[in-house]
Amino acid sequence: TLFTHVIPNCLGPVIVVATVALVWYFAIRSLPDYDATVDLAGIAEPVEIVRTTEGVPHILARTDHDAFFALGFAHAQDRLSR
């Protein structure tokens, strides 16, 4: 009947789908937004961080200080999402 056969047989797939959806949701939320524009104190000139499809950062800056600051920012983006 309904409560002894149908509901127990449907409950397993529903739990699996709900678990996969929750794991996907929390995994996506933890990733940094690489396309965002961020205004930070501590740099003198605009800096651009371009990432390859593999996620490798390439930093375009006019001064060494700004490049090192951007490198630290890129490291923080990668490490804080773990």
Side-chain angles (χ1 to χ4, degrees):
T1 63
L2 181 67
F3 291 107
T4 58
H5 296 293
V6 176
I7 291 178
N9 289 336
C10 293
L11 195 57
V14 168
I15 290 173
V16 169
V17 168
T19 302
V20 168
L22 282 173
V23 168
W24 177 81
Y25 173 73
F26 286 116
I28 293 298
R29 278 190 58 204
S30 68
L31 296 175
D33 183 11
Y34 291 138
D35 296 326
T37 300
V38 181
D39 293 326
L40 298 172
I43 58 173
E45 308 242 359
V47 175
E48 187 173 359
I49 302 173
V50 180
R51 292 186 182 262
T52 63
T53 55
E54 293 83 18
V56 178
H58 296 272
I59 299 168
L60 307 168
R62 291 195 177 139
T63 66
D64 287 342
H65 177 269
D66 291 347
F68 294 137
F69 192 94
L71 179 62
F73 183 81
H75 279 270
Q77 271 188 323
D78 294 339
R79 298 297 294 180
L80 290 177
S81 64
R82 292 184 181 183

